Amino acid sequence: LHCPPTAARSAPRAPRRTAASRAQQKSSPAPHSPPPRGPHPEAELSPIQRLLRDGFVTFDGVLSPADIGLVRDSAERLFSNGSLHHLAQPGRDDSVVALSPAAVQQDPAQYGDLIVAARVLMSAPAMLKHYAAEEGAPAEHRRNFERCVAPALLQLARYPESAGRYVAHLDNDPGDPGNEVGPKGLRASDRIFTCILYLNEGWAPSDEGCLRMYRPESPGDDGDAYEDIAPKGGRLVIFDSRSMLHEVRPSFATRWAISAWLCG
């Protein structure tokens, strides 16, 4: 995957193109040929190898700097018109709105360039299936990839710059009383993989707000058993919804993300 340089916070944004013209461009991670299984340097591990080994994988440069700005502008317009709402859940500071991919595509006046991000997330099941088939992933894991379908809903989330956070949790938690609530395909218990695409231009280390991924063997209380992932614009993170305990660390800049859950 090509990772374009992140624009500096002080640099002017690239000129915006219209939603109609930008929506013609399909943005999705380009597949590449994985190496055979074995003890490879980190840079040589394929996406499926990293996902199976670590429980998560990241792709950088999934959106261009220009697209990041366009999609974020559309997200900010939704926030300004009151479409996002705080859920008042303990330990969770974000405001969110559920988005129908079909509505995003059919109503550019309302959703603008969010279609560009939606197309990336909608393509995630096909991308995972491609990698799994190309590599000959183990049968028990390949079945999980093959079960995944395009998400029925997306979630746009905005964390405030006043140390907005989300405490550690699982996206598919059998111990959660609400895990089985909802129609089939939209229940938390149906989630196999979580996909998060970040829309934050010029994210700096001082902004903090990392996605903290706890290693599956850790209950979350070992300070050395996690990895922090900065929410840089154009970065896509995919992780196992059932095994990856994760949290959003306090953020000191407005933090945008659009998520999808791949269910089966």
Side-chain angles (χ1 to χ4, degrees):
L1 288 168
H2 172 65
C3 180
T6 304
R9 183 175 292 276
S10 59
R13 288 181 176 176
R16 305 294 198 228
R17 292 171 60 189
T18 64
S21 64
R22 296 304 304 176
Q24 298 303 314
Q25 177 183 342
K26 293 186 179 180
S27 301
S28 61
H32 61 272
S33 298
R37 278 272 192 196
H40 302 289
E42 182 67 25
E44 295 181 8
L45 289 175
S46 73
I48 291 298
Q49 287 171 335
R50 294 197 299 271
L51 183 57
L52 295 180
R53 184 193 69 180
D54 301 330
F56 68 94
V57 62
T58 63
F59 300 89
D60 285 335
V62 172
L63 297 181
S64 70
D67 278 342
I68 295 166
L70 288 164
V71 176
R72 178 163 174 159
D73 284 352
S74 298
E76 288 175 341
R77 285 195 295 273
L78 282 183
F79 177 72
S80 296
N81 70 25
S83 295
L84 278 71
H85 301 283
H86 186 254
L87 299 179
Q89 294 179 0
R92 181 174 183 177
D93 298 323
D94 58 334
S95 297
V96 302
V97 61
L99 303 173
S100 160
V104 170
Q105 183 167 1
Q106 295 166 8
D107 192 355
Q110 171 72 6
Y111 298 107
D113 289 289
L114 284 167
I115 183 61
V116 178
R119 281 178 171 154
V120 170
L121 294 168
M122 295 294 286
S123 73
M127 181 186 68
L128 290 176
K129 291 172 187 177
H130 168 85
Y131 283 132
E134 192 175 67
E135 292 184 39
E140 66 273 19
H141 297 295
R142 192 167 61 250
R143 282 193 294 270
N144 280 334
F145 298 127
E146 291 171 350
R147 287 169 53 206
C148 291
V149 297
L153 290 175
L154 310 176
Q155 180 179 268
L156 178 66
R158 177 189 184 273
Y159 287 82
E161 62 185 11
S162 53
R165 64 176 187 138
Y166 193 164
V167 296
H169 62 284
L170 291 171
D171 282 356
N172 180 348
D173 182 359
D176 183 346
N179 211 46
E180 299 285 346
V181 174
K184 183 174 174 59
L186 291 176
R187 302 172 299 190
S189 61
D190 298 323
R191 297 169 180 172
I192 303 174
F193 295 106
T194 300
C195 305
I196 306 176
L197 179 59
Y198 293 110
L199 311 175
N200 305 303
E201 297 175 285
W203 197 261
S206 59
D207 298 329
E208 301 190 27
C210 286
L211 174 67
R212 177 164 290 181
M213 304 294 297
Y214 291 99
R215 298 194 181 100
E217 65 270 18
S218 168
D221 57 0
D222 183 343
D224 295 323
Y226 62 78
E227 183 166 338
D228 284 347
I229 302 170
K232 296 178 179 179
R235 172 169 285 173
L236 173 67
V237 183
I238 301 178
F239 61 87
D240 190 314
S241 303
R242 300 156 297 182
S243 66
M244 295 306 295
L245 186 70
H246 60 286
E247 66 176 297
V248 174
R249 300 293 296 161
S251 178
F252 299 97
T254 302
R255 181 188 189 278
W256 285 98
I258 183 166
S259 301
W261 291 277
L262 308 186
C263 298

